Amino acid sequence: MTDTKRIKTALISVFHKEGLDEIISKLHAEGVSFLSTGGTRKFIESLGFPCQAVEDLTTYPSILGGRVKTLHPKVFGGILCRRENEQDQKQIAQYEIPEIDLVIVDLYPFEDTVASDASEQDIIEKIDIGGISLIRAAAKNFRDVVIVASKAQYGSLMNMLRNQGANSTLADRKWFAKEAFAVSSWYDSAIFNYFDDGESSAFRCTYNQKMSLRYGENPHQQGCFFGDFNAMFTQIHGKEISYNNLLDISAAVDLINEFDEATFAILKHNNACGIASRSTLMQAWVDALACDPVSAYGGVLIANDTIDKDIAEEVNKIFFEVIIAPKYTDEAVDVLCQKKNRIILIRKDVEMPKMQVRSALNGLLFQEKDLDIETSSDLKQVSKRTPTAQEVEDMLFANKLVKNSKSNSIVLAKNKQLCASGVGQTSRVDALKQAIEKAKTFGFDLQGAVMASDAFFPFPDCVEIAKEAGVTAVIQPGGSVRDDQTFQYCDAHGMSMVTTGIRHFKH
């Protein structure tokens, strides 16, 4: 039994015909005969090549409005027959079934049809039956048949034809079969998710795009990203992205999405170490850096407005790994590209997923993303003292930060600038003490500052410590059995407190 198989007959039935002409011309030059249906047969003939209609082989026309074209033993027998199996060979001879050695087929654009808000009837008609059956049959019989299940594999097929003529090795056929089953599993997942309609009765998710990463969480670990990174960003400069870069980029995007005013943020290990909202992006950068210029070293920078030359020259004064913005001026790019490894990303306007998935134990955790953004109308005043308009602005600002910081988390802010935060602590008191100490280190006056907590205060101790540091207003979810004690402390010491009723834990 030889490993190499000669392609003599090709069945071609595709929705996407771009790039197919070169393949057909090469196959014809190699003496391959064609078998096809409807529009694809007309396309092949328009190139000047003979093509047998599937209807002539099966003696059945396309029926049921095109739902049944290729579903016939004379088609599937030719694909599934084992060339080295004596009984199979006797049967295809008995029933005059021609062997089919190459199948080029793709699938109706189901996902695109769903995305277009088409009617249910139009969507159902885009559930491919014949195509998916041809793919599975040809892939199953990979020892004898080459299957090309998507235009994404046209290039690989053409390379094989150029290098080997109309001959395929077992390794070739097995690779194409693997790619074919990737296509079929993705397609079936899309159909299931349409019918599941958000009920999450089972988890089915596939990504066709794989991006290599510089390394995993540590250099001795390998890592990759499955998803369409290029749909979200254009990388215009810099080295290959790492696993940690990607996590920081994701956290940066989640954070900046909270803000409409010109805002600049600096992140380290998924947490903001500097952020400010200002009337100009330049001032936002200056004040974001002032929050913690030490932690900013090697960080990820993100802005929600255009970075010009002046901003780029200021940013260029520090070392950082990644910068993200919706737009850069040409002069800004020239400045930022002075460091060859610096990753520069243009963020595109793409809708983000509304669900989160992460691995845990021997399975996956699945949840809705925390997309709540509290406004002033969501705040419930629980103290006698009414917060000032500036304190309300600052509390809403701080609440956005604490929502995007690792729990347990406390944020201290003033004039829409991060003064300091305590993140990832096992004790909320420790988180607050960490924040106060850091604020003092970088010269922040906390008199008149606000405090935000990602969860309720089980005791009044945090509020007592914050009062001593100068904090005058507090925002928290509320919900502790000792809330009254905390509220009473605020009233006794002239502090304002509001609750949101929404906890923002982040692990």
Side-chain angles (χ1 to χ4, degrees):
M1 183 172 65
T2 179
D3 174 79
T4 301
K5 302 285 183 178
R6 180 76 179 170
I7 299 171
K8 305 184 194 73
T9 302
L11 170 62
I12 307 175
S13 181
V14 296
F15 188 87
H16 299 100
K17 299 174 180 64
E18 304 88 354
L20 192 61
D21 51 351
E22 186 181 10
I23 291 171
I24 291 171
S25 298
K26 178 62 174 172
L27 288 171
H28 177 74
E30 293 286 338
V32 176
S33 59
F34 300 119
L35 184 64
S36 191
T37 60
T40 307
R41 179 174 62 84
K42 292 177 182 177
F43 176 76
I44 294 171
E45 291 175 340
S46 74
L47 297 174
F49 307 126
C51 180
Q52 182 183 10
V54 168
E55 296 92 328
D56 294 340
L57 173 65
T58 63
T59 70
Y60 274 88
S62 173
I63 62 173
L64 306 182
R67 285 189 167 196
V68 180
K69 299 176 185 176
T70 58
L71 297 170
H72 193 279
K74 283 208 170 184
V75 174
F76 282 85
I79 295 170
L80 286 164
C81 71
R82 291 159 289 189
R83 291 5 179 213
E84 310 300 329
N85 185 292
E86 185 178 347
Q87 189 62 32
D88 283 7
Q89 291 301 303
K90 286 181 179 179
Q91 287 186 334
I92 66 168
Q94 178 184 355
Y95 295 108
E96 299 180 335
I97 299 173
E99 292 179 346
I100 297 172
D101 314 296
L102 168 63
V103 176
I104 303 177
V105 63
D106 58 12
L107 302 170
Y108 291 151
F110 179 83
E111 281 190 311
D112 292 344
T113 306
V114 173
S116 71
D117 293 325
S119 68
E120 181 180 84
Q121 183 58 41
D122 287 340
I123 290 170
I124 298 305
E125 289 307 313
K126 286 299 184 288
I127 298 177
D128 209 310
I129 303 300
I132 201 79
S133 301
L134 290 169
I135 288 171
R136 293 182 66 85
K140 176 176 180 175
N141 200 24
F142 68 89
R143 292 193 175 277
D144 297 304
V145 179
V146 177
I147 171 64
V148 176
S150 164
K151 63 180 181 179
Q153 281 104 55
Y154 285 1
S156 298
L157 175 63
M158 196 63 215
N159 287 337
M160 186 189 81
L161 295 173
R162 287 195 192 102
N163 295 331
Q164 300 162 204
N167 299 297
S168 66
T169 65
L170 179 60
D172 293 329
R173 297 189 297 277
K174 197 166 186 177
W175 182 87
F176 279 110
K178 182 247 318 181
E179 294 296 308
F181 283 121
V183 169
S184 66
S185 63
W186 154 75
Y187 197 73
D188 284 339
S189 293
I191 295 170
F192 164 77
N193 287 323
Y194 169 75
F195 281 97
D196 190 52
D197 197 23
E199 291 183 12
S200 302
S201 58
F203 182 72
R204 298 288 185 274
C205 185
T206 58
Y207 289 99
N208 293 325
Q209 299 89 356
K210 176 183 176 181
M211 184 174 83
S212 297
L213 300 176
R214 202 161 68 246
Y215 49 78
E217 201 160 15
N218 298 290
H220 65 275
Q221 296 170 270
Q222 293 184 348
C224 63
F225 172 68
F226 286 98
D228 195 353
F229 186 83
N230 293 329
M232 286 199 63
F233 303 99
T234 298
Q235 182 172 349
I236 58 176
H237 186 73
K239 60 188 175 182
E240 189 178 31
I241 290 169
S242 72
Y243 182 98
N244 293 329
N245 289 154
L246 206 83
L247 288 177
D248 281 331
I249 290 167
S250 180
V253 168
D254 286 343
L255 176 59
I256 208 71
N257 280 349
E258 308 271 359
F259 298 91
D260 296 320
E261 189 177 356
T263 301
F264 223 122
I266 308 166
L267 285 86
K268 282 288 284 290
H269 301 292
N270 309 161
N271 295 298
C273 59
I275 183 170
S277 293
R278 294 292 182 260
S279 59
T280 68
L281 195 62
M282 172 65 88
Q283 193 59 50
W285 162 251
V286 171
D287 292 343
L289 181 62
C291 298
D292 185 350
V294 174
S295 294
Y297 182 88
V300 169
L301 281 49
I302 189 166
N304 60 0
D305 207 344
T306 301
I307 293 179
D308 60 24
K309 181 183 178 183
D310 291 340
I311 298 172
E313 287 177 339
E314 288 300 311
V315 167
N316 200 44
K317 293 176 181 178
I318 71 165
F319 168 73
F320 59 89
E321 288 266 340
V322 182
I323 186 166
I324 309 162
K327 189 177 180 181
Y328 305 82
T329 65
D330 292 341
E331 295 82 4
V333 171
D334 291 339
V335 172
L336 294 171
C337 286
Q338 291 173 8
K339 302 292 175 62
K340 69 175 184 177
N341 288 328
R342 178 179 288 160
I343 298 167
I344 305 174
L345 300 176
I346 300 173
R347 186 186 174 192
K348 302 175 186 178
D349 186 15
V350 177
E351 185 178 358
M352 295 289 287
K354 292 181 173 57
M355 305 301 291
Q356 274 183 323
V357 183
R358 65 185 294 178
S359 61
L361 300 175
N362 63 346
L364 298 171
L365 286 170
F366 189 72
Q367 70 168 354
E368 297 175 336
K369 288 189 75 171
D370 185 357
L371 298 175
D372 285 314
I373 302 177
E374 286 79 45
T375 65
S376 56
S377 62
D378 298 311
L379 306 183
K380 178 183 178 182
Q381 182 178 328
V382 293
S383 61
K384 292 179 180 178
R385 177 180 178 269
T386 300
T388 66
Q390 183 61 58
E391 286 173 334
V392 170
E393 277 198 347
D394 287 344
M395 284 191 289
L396 291 173
F397 175 88
N399 195 52
K400 293 173 181 178
L401 300 189
V402 83
K403 170 188 169 183
N404 288 278
S405 302
K406 188 173 182 179
S407 301
N408 286 315
S409 177
I410 292 287
V411 166
L412 303 176
K414 186 176 179 181
N415 297 325
K416 291 187 287 187
Q417 178 188 24
L418 173 64
C419 299
S421 60
V423 299
Q425 299 301 305
T426 54
S427 158
R428 202 161 300 282
V429 172
D430 286 346
L432 174 58
K433 288 180 178 179
Q434 180 189 65
I436 292 171
E437 184 62 30
K438 180 170 279 194
K440 289 179 179 178
T441 299
F442 294 109
F444 281 97
D445 179 7
L446 294 180
Q447 189 60 45
V450 304
M451 175 173 70
S453 174
D454 61 346
F456 64 67
F457 296 110
F459 303 98
D461 46 7
C462 278
V463 181
E464 295 169 5
I465 296 168
K467 168 64 178 175
E468 291 301 313
V471 170
T472 55
V474 179
I475 182 171
Q476 57 128 335
S480 168
V481 294
R482 299 182 183 85
D483 269 351
D484 286 347
Q485 296 179 27
T486 304
F487 301 162
Q488 289 167 10
Y489 180 88
C490 288
D491 290 341
H493 294 83
M495 298 178 73
S496 296
M497 178 172 283
V498 297
T499 59
T500 63
I502 298 176
R503 188 181 73 183
H504 289 299
F505 270 174
K506 181 183 178 185
H507 289 91

